[in-house]
């Protein structure tokens, strides 16, 4: 007779609640080494369960955006999936506070039992980075080694499979490149941007509180800004960048509302990810000071670098924020009907 489905069997609690038996350095199961090791294990396991859910949501988002064309209701589904991810990411940040109830001296009491195990080897964390679209060339390595050198051969094969598939960043860029912009938008936008920079220049030139050299430096900065804006709208991914500006500029048009929320959601994802990196580094600093990590890195120094500006994914969305201009400088759309709901 088959077993009835119960709360415990449905959730597989045998496996989950029986999984707090870490291997000793000899590979055999060992008892928990210290009262606080239970907390250490459970917090990490909770993260891994949530990583699994986030992978599930980001895979959905990637697959929906990979369609050509993307049906309009699917943009909303991607935004909803990302909203769920944001709420989980907030738990990621908050959860570190639970771990900080552990005294550093108590951590030290069982730290050696971890051997060389480190969060650096979290397979799902690396999968998430790759799926989102973090590029290998921005990563910091330690001892000149790629993170994959810390994994088993089977894991490395899995990484290769993830790398061969499109990332969220890839499909987003392709979808943006297909955005139906108004004809001549690039030129119209550039003129609006130039008018905006000119108004900023006039404002600073007339500022009585800026002395000669200071004022010249500010005006030079604005000239550089103008050149950056022009460059932003030219070059290889120019249509992707123009789409970011178009969507944000005309976000009140019904058809552009959800695309605009999508761009915001991706920036929020990235922001919360970086917030976790920073928060993890602060927790580590409190816990182990400046000592070397169990994985062998320089510890906090390495972690702080990964929380810096290099680890960015959706750079074109972020950069587009620098070149937004006030709505009043933009002409009304010539073909508003195209971006409304009612299509015959
Ligand atoms: C007492 C608690 C913790 C300490 C002292 C700690 C320390 C460290 C250190 C020093 C590193 C750098 C690599 C190394 O040399 O080992 C690292 C990396 C990492 N840790 Fe933790 N950690 C702790 C808790 C956590 C938790 C709860 C998570 C959640 C999953 C986590 C996830 C990670 C990840 C994903 C990395 C790799 C970051 C990257 O390379 O970008 N850590 N940790």
């Amino acid at each position: 007779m088959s077993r009835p489905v119960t709360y415990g069997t449905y959730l597989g609690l045998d496996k989950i609640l029986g999984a707090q038996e870490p291997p000793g350095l000899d590979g055999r199961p060992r008892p928990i080494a210290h009262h606080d090791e239970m907390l250490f294990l459970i917090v990490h396991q909770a993260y891994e369960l949530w990583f699994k859910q986030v992978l599930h949501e980001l895979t959905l988002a990637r697959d929906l955006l990979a369609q050509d064309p993307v049906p309009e209701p699917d943009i909303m589904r991607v935004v909803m999936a990302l909203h769920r991810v944001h709420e989980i990411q907030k738990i990621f940040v908050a959860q570190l506070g639970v771990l900080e109830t552990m005294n550093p001296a108590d951590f030290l009491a069982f730290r050696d039992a971890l051997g060389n195990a480190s969060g650096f080897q979290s397979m799902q964390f690396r999968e998430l980075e790759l799926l989102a679209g973090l590029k290998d060339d921005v990563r910091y390595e330690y001892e000149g080694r790629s993170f994959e050198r810390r994994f088993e051969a089977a894991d490395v094969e899995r990484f290769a499979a993830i790398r061969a598939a499109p990332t969220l960043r890839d499909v987003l860029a392709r979808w943006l490149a297909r955005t139906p912009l108004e004809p001549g938008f690039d030129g119209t936008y550039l003129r609006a941007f130039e008018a905006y920079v000119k108004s900023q220049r006039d404002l600073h030139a007339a500022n009585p509180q800026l002395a000669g050299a200071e004022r010249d430096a500010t005006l030079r900065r604005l000239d550089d800004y103008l050149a950056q804006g022009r460059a932003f709208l030219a070059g290889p991914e120019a249509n992707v960048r123009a789409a970011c500006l178009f969507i944000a500029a005309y976000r009140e048009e019904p058809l552009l509302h959800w695309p605009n929320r999508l761009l915001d959601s991706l920036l929020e994802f990235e922001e919360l990810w970086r917030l976790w990196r920073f928060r993890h580094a602060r927790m580590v600093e409190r816990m182990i000071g400046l000592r070397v990590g169990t994985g062998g890195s320089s510890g906090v120094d390495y972690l702080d670098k990964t929380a810096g500006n290099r680890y960015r994914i959706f750079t074109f969305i972020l950069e587009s924020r620098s070149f937004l201009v006030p709505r009043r400088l933009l002409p009304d759309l010539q073909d508003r009907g195209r971006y409304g709901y009612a299509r015959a």
Side-chain angles (χ1 to χ4, degrees), residues 40 43-44 47 51 99 102 107 118-120 125-126 142 276-277 280 283-284 287-288 293-297 299 302-303 306:
F40 187 79
V43 167
H44 280 85
Y47 268 105
F51 285 161
L99 204 52
M102 177 169 72
F107 178 47
S118 162
F120 191 79
F125 185 85
R126 299 300 174 205
Y142 57 84
W276 180 83
R277 286 189 187 278
H280 170 258
M283 182 275 294
V284 171
M287 209 58 82
I288 62 167
T294 48
S297 78
Y302 162 74
L303 293 170
T306 69

Side-chain angles (χ1 to χ4, degrees), residues 36-109:
D36 283 6
E37 191 175 18
M38 180 67 94
L39 176 77
F40 187 79
L41 281 165
I42 286 185
V43 167
H44 280 85
Q45 288 172 342
Y47 268 105
E48 290 295 335
L49 280 176
W50 282 126
F51 285 161
K52 187 167 182 174
Q53 184 66 36
V54 174
L55 274 169
H56 194 54
E57 302 298 341
L58 288 194
T59 304
L60 173 78
R62 191 270 315 269
D63 293 347
L64 289 174
L65 277 182
Q67 302 171 97
D68 182 5
V70 182
E72 278 148 33
D74 282 351
I75 301 293
M76 188 186 72
R77 289 177 68 200
V78 175
V79 172
M80 300 316 272
L82 288 169
H83 176 60
R84 181 174 293 166
V85 169
H86 301 153
E87 292 305 314
I88 298 170
Q89 288 180 287
K90 289 176 198 165
I91 297 177
F92 287 170
V93 176
Q95 211 165 200
L96 291 172
V98 184
L99 204 52
E100 280 170 340
T101 62
M102 177 169 72
N103 187 292
D106 290 328
F107 178 47
L108 213 51

Side-chain angles (χ1 to χ4, degrees), residues 224-245:
D224 291 346
Y225 173 53
L226 180 63
Q228 286 157 9
R230 285 178 176 146
F232 182 76
L233 279 164
E237 277 191 327
N239 48 355
V240 172
R241 301 191 210 128
C244 290
L245 290 170

